């Protein structure tokens, strides 16, 4: 099954302006998501220190804490790459955009693995924020792919 190709962003705007808007919004959302996960990591660390009497719970909290810290590092790298993406869309650099798509897919796979591993240790708010973040990112991949197809002369990636 292939991803759909869009003609417009949100059925109204052009793909270039949509990619620019999504790039800026996604950079902001990535930064906010990193801050949310930092607060989650602090809460896990405090819980682990309180429950350090039970070795089993402390070990699991330590694993989840490590995964959350790795997710935060991924989000910081993604924030910087999002800024490069905005530049590439503005200058219509198809080579950078293709590399960005590959990075994006790898990032999403790693993020989903980390999210699923720490899912049952999160509050409802953290889960909802992560699900909305993932849904927005899947739509974003479709928009980027559509824009790439539109700027390539031969119409293929």
């Amino acid at each position: 099954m292939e991803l759909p190709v869009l003609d417009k962003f949100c059925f109204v705007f052009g793909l270039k302006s949509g990619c620019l808007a999504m790039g800026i919004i996604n950079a902001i959302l990535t930064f906010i998501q990193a801050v949310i996960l930092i607060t989650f990591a602090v809460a896990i660390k405090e819980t682990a220190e309180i429950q350090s009497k039970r070795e089993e719970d402390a070990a699991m909290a330590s694993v989840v804490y490590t995964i959350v810290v790795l997710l935060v590092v991924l989000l910081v790298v993604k924030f910087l790459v999002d800024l490069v993406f905005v530049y590439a869309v503005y200058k219509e650099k198809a080579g950078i955009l293709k590399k960005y798509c590959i990075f994006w897919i790898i990032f999403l796979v790693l993020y989903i693995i980390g999210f699923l591993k720490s899912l049952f240790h999160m509050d409802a708010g953290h889960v909802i924020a992560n699900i909305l973040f993932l849904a927005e990112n899947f739509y974003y991949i479709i928009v980027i792919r559509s824009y790439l197809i539109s700027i390539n002369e031969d119409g293929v990636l």
Side-chain angles (χ1 to χ4, degrees), residues 22-139:
M22 288 283 288
I24 293 168
I25 290 169
N26 206 20
I28 293 168
L29 289 176
T30 300
F31 182 77
I32 291 170
Q33 186 69 20
V35 171
I36 289 171
L37 282 177
I38 288 170
T39 61
F40 179 61
V42 169
I44 287 176
K45 194 68 169 173
E46 290 175 357
T47 304
E49 290 173 359
I50 292 171
Q51 295 179 347
S52 63
K53 296 174 185 166
R54 292 186 282 173
E55 291 180 21
E56 194 173 290
D57 290 341
M60 185 54 146
S62 175
V63 169
V64 172
Y65 177 75
T66 304
I67 290 171
V68 170
V69 169
L70 289 173
L71 285 176
V72 169
V73 170
L74 271 174
L75 286 171
V76 169
V77 169
K78 186 179 163 305
F79 173 74
L80 296 174
V81 174
D82 282 342
L83 297 179
V84 172
F85 169 76
V86 170
Y87 168 77
V89 169
Y90 182 71
K91 295 291 185 175
E92 292 186 359
K93 305 259 185 197
I96 295 173
L97 292 174
K98 288 178 186 177
K99 291 173 186 162
Y100 181 76
C101 280
I102 293 169
F103 166 78
W104 194 270
I105 292 168
I106 292 170
F107 168 78
L108 275 179
V109 168
L110 292 174
Y111 193 86
I112 289 169
I113 291 169
F115 170 65
L116 292 175
K117 180 68 177 163
S118 59
L119 175 68
F120 297 107
H121 301 280
M122 291 184 174
D123 299 355
H126 288 111
V127 172
I128 291 170
N130 280 300
I131 290 172
L132 290 175
F133 182 75
L134 288 171
E136 184 258 342
N137 285 316
F138 283 122
Y139 180 69

